[in-house]
Amino acid sequence: MSGNAAENRRVPRHLAIILDGNGRWAKRRGLPRLMGHRAGLRKLEEMVHLVKREGIRYFSVYAFSTENWTRPPMEVEGLMSLFRYYIRHKVEAIKAEGARIRFCGRKDKMPPDLLEQMHWAEERTKDETTLDFILCINYGGRAEVLDAMNALIKDGYDGPVTEEALRQHFYLPDVPDPDLIVRTSGELRLSNFWLWEAAYSEFYFTDIHWPDFDEAALKAALADYAGRERRYGGLSS
Ligand code: IPE
Ligand code: IPE
Ligand code: MG
């Protein structure tokens, strides 16, 4: 799957990955958990390159959930510092891939300087059109649906709430639903990722810890997806 992959309908338009297993990757090597997070974030630059080459248009990654604040403060602060470091140092390389960086999630609880940096990264890459690289940080699917409902109420929306009206108030209303959701590290759950949007997503689970996820692992996930039949409640073709 390469070359004219963009024309191949069996390539997901939107690939989403739940970046799980950084802690276990570190533990297996006798390293602190934050070293696993560092290795996991480092992996993203290579993935952006590979995903672009496959002809995928939207690539979202779940990097920090609304529930991850319950982790020990040292891990949370360490993660925020790693986000700071990687945004500062990787924006140019990601831009050079033709990727537009977008963040998805709640702004509350986030360190203000990190929010400013996120805004800067979005501005810096806003004209790139090859790939949308979406980092879900402080994201929760339930929070997104609630935020959209509250935004509708605040707008004075009058009348039955439709799927379309709700969607227009999601964090990134223009982004299509994920076609394929990959989760690394062996857990078989969504953990509050793309809750509404995952209604008809295909799922792929692998035991590989995120920092070890490589080109072969990506190709295996995409090959599996290419063999799926998506029916959306209809009959097989
Ligand atoms: C995923 O790795 C990254 C975040 C959730 C921030 P984990 O930190 O969940 O790693 P494990 O699941 O403990 O191995
Ligand atoms: C899901 O992983 C969230 C992210 C990868 C950011 P977790 O490690 O937080 O999920 P659970 O706790 O195993 O469900
Ligand atoms: Mg985990």
Side-chain angles (χ1 to χ4, degrees):
M1 201 176 300
S2 61
N4 62 353
E7 286 92 57
N8 184 346
R9 286 234 213 92
R10 292 188 175 277
V11 173
R13 191 161 168 237
H14 178 176
L15 167 69
I17 306 187
I18 300 172
L19 311 178
D20 200 16
N22 293 344
R24 278 163 281 177
W25 180 92
K27 193 175 176 194
R28 192 182 268 182
R29 285 161 179 75
L31 297 170
R33 290 179 60 84
L34 277 173
M35 294 297 275
H37 293 312
R38 195 177 79 154
L41 280 175
R42 193 175 269 171
K43 195 88 218 173
L44 285 174
E45 186 184 350
E46 173 195 343
M47 264 317 130
V48 165
H49 176 72
L50 294 172
V51 158
K52 179 189 94 168
R53 226 173 51 186
E54 293 291 342
I56 289 162
R57 179 64 184 80
Y58 299 88
F59 176 39
S60 62
V61 295
Y62 200 15
F64 192 88
S65 73
T66 46
E67 287 71 46
N68 288 148
W69 297 106
T70 60
R71 294 190 179 195
M74 210 177 87
E75 179 167 349
V76 170
E77 281 157 28
L79 270 162
M80 295 300 143
S81 292
L82 286 169
F83 292 143
R84 273 187 200 98
Y85 180 87
Y86 279 94
I87 293 167
R88 190 177 308 129
H89 290 90
K90 298 296 174 191
V91 165
E92 294 309 322
I94 288 166
K95 181 174 159 65
E97 294 285 351
R100 173 183 176 195
I101 297 176
R102 304 176 76 178
F103 292 95
C104 181
R106 274 192 174 161
K107 298 209 172 352
D108 74 324
K109 297 195 209 159
M110 293 290 290
D113 69 307
L114 180 54
L115 283 176
E116 265 175 46
Q117 222 181 14
M118 287 157 64
H119 179 69
W120 166 79
E122 288 183 328
E123 281 297 306
R124 179 87 188 111
T125 60
K126 68 177 190 304
D127 296 326
E128 302 304 328
T129 55
T130 306
L131 174 73
D132 279 26
F133 175 41
I134 300 157
L135 285 133
C136 299
I137 296 180
N138 197 15
Y139 176 86
R142 289 184 175 178
E144 180 175 37
V145 173
L146 286 177
D147 288 352
M149 285 183 178
N150 283 315
L152 278 175
I153 292 169
K154 205 169 158 209
D155 282 2
Y157 189 79
D158 172 30
V161 177
T162 60
E163 287 194 15
E164 272 323 299
L166 198 64
R167 251 176 208 283
Q168 276 160 26
H169 289 81
F170 282 171
Y171 300 135
L172 303 175
D174 60 300
V175 173
D177 289 347
D179 300 291
L180 173 63
I181 298 181
V182 171
R183 181 164 187 155
T184 56
S185 217
E187 308 306 338
L188 308 180
R189 54 178 172 261
L190 203 48
S191 300
N192 207 9
F193 194 33
W194 291 142
L195 214 51
W196 176 283
E197 296 86 342
Y200 274 97
S201 301
E202 297 292 327
F203 289 89
Y204 179 87
F205 299 100
T206 171
D207 288 338
I208 299 172
H209 298 314
W210 169 250
D212 287 333
F213 195 85
D214 59 7
E215 183 172 8
L218 176 68
K219 284 195 179 289
L222 294 178
D224 196 279
Y225 172 81
R228 307 277 180 97
E229 186 192 6
R230 304 184 72 186
R231 287 197 288 272
Y232 300 99
L235 298 177
S236 342
S237 46

